[in-house]
Structures are given as C-alpha cells and as structure tokens.
Amino acid sequence: MGLDELNINALPEHIAIIMDGNGRWAQQQGKIRLRGHQAGAEAVRKTVEATAKLGIKHLTLYAFSTENWNRPQTEVNTLMSLLVSSLRRELKRMTKNNIRLSAIGSLDKLPKNVQRELYEVIEKTEKNTGTNLTLALSYGAREEIKQAVVEISQKVKNNIIQVKNIDETIINEHLYTRFLPDVDLLIRTSGEVRISNFLLWQIAYAELYFTEELWPEFDEQSLHRAINSYQKRERRFGKTSEQLL
Ligand code: FPP
C-alpha cells in the first residue's frame, strides 16, 4: 500500500501500539526469544521512522508492562539491555529525524542504568519538534489511574482541588499522559484481541485495529494498512451519522 492510498489530510494525531508476537516470531524461525526481541527492536525503528515520515504527531509504544516483570529474570534482563542499547544507538537517528522521546509508567522501578540512559535521551531530544515518541515502560493503566486518584485525593484533602470541580480535564492532568491527546488509533499485532491494561482511559474513543502480523514483521506497509483502515471508519463519538454531515 503506497502513500497515495492514504488521505494525508485525515491522519490520526495519536497512534498507540501494543507490540506483540516477538516470542512466536522467534519460535517460527527456530530461534531463541532474544532474537525475536532484537527483530522487534528493528521493527520499532522502522515504525517510528514511517510515522515521522507521515508527520504524525504522537506515537506511543507499549514496550514493557507492569505484568512483564513476572517473566523469567533472564528475559527481563534481555529486554532491559536491549532498551539501553537501542536508546544509545538510536539517539543520532532520532535527532536527524526530529523525534522527541518521552516515557510513561512507573519509571522509578526500572534499573538505574536504564533510567539514566532514558533520561539522557529524553533530555537530548526535548527540543525536537517532530513526532513525539512515547515509550510505555513498567506501565499499567490501572496503576496509572490509581495514582491519579491518590494525587487528586491528596489535593482535595489539602484544599487545592474542590470535589465539585473534579472533571475529565482534572483527571487527564493527573495521568502519566497529561502531555498527550487521546489516542485516535490503537494497533495490536499477533492476532490477540485484547487491551492488556494499556491506556484504558485514553482509548475511550480510539479506533481499534488488530492484525495477525507478528511484531517483528510490522513495517511501513503495515502501518499504512492500519491507517487506511482507520480512514475508512466513521468516527461518531456517540452521535448519529446525520449529525456529522
Ligand atoms: C511482545 O512480544 C513484546 C514485548 C514484551 C516487548 C516489546 C519489546 C520490543 C519490541 C523490543 C525492544 C523495544 C524497544 C522500545 C527498543 P512477546 O514476547 O510477548 O511475544 P509472544 O507473545 O509471541 O511470546
């Protein structure tokens, strides 16, 4: 699918991706899981660059969930080192492509060397004005919502917020994603049809796109197919079709 099949004036502003299937891809190839994650990191690079090329403003990737801490320690270590090496390697390309890095999640739970590398790249790319790439790391939506409730409750207790003023804007301002708009298009690879505790609040009106492709197979063409499907849908936000005319 070429660029000419996409409506450049109706692109989603915020795409979020649940990158799934690295392990199954490795298994299909008769390789160890590490190879699947390495190929997954390659798919991340291609997807980020394809997103930037289209001029899409926000891309959020589910790179490591709160539940992923329960994987075997060796796999957790592999994913953490892959993250560090990818961040190091990609800084130059990110700068060249004007990409700004952000991160959401319980970042304080990440190993110290990962935090250091992450904050360094975040700082070095903070003036970039192109695509904002957000990595969800040690992220869980329920945890995010819980901590927003705690913060808001504390502010109510200290008379900073009044209960009668609590609305969606105030809740948004206390989520990790306070700097992001709602998700327009959520993609999940590998044929699994579930949300797995990702951005539960922010996908309220998102279009959902599920593909059988395994994450390491995902590329520019795959991204275009997902956007093409999004563009064929009518987003009604609870209204009737007639009201949208
Ligand atoms: C799912 O595959 C993917 C992950 C657990 C994490 C995503 C990580 C990467 C794409 C690697 C590097 C990331 C960055 C940001 C450089 P799976 O292991 O759950 O696959 P399976 O369900 O087939 O076993």
Side-chain angles (χ1 to χ4, degrees), residues 19 64 164 237:
M19 310 179 287
F64 195 87
K164 67 173 172 26
F237 299 98

Side-chain angles (χ1 to χ4, degrees), residues 19-25 33 36-44 61-65 68 71 75 79 82-83 86-87 135 137 190 192 214-215:
M19 310 179 287
D20 197 8
N22 293 349
R24 272 161 287 169
W25 181 88
R33 291 179 66 82
H37 293 312
Q38 283 174 335
E42 209 31 48
V44 167
L61 302 178
Y62 205 3
F64 195 87
S65 70
N68 285 153
R71 291 198 174 192
E75 181 159 346
L79 284 165
L82 196 54
L83 192 61
S86 301
L87 286 166
L135 296 182
L137 290 164
S190 92
E192 308 291 354
L214 302 173
W215 177 249

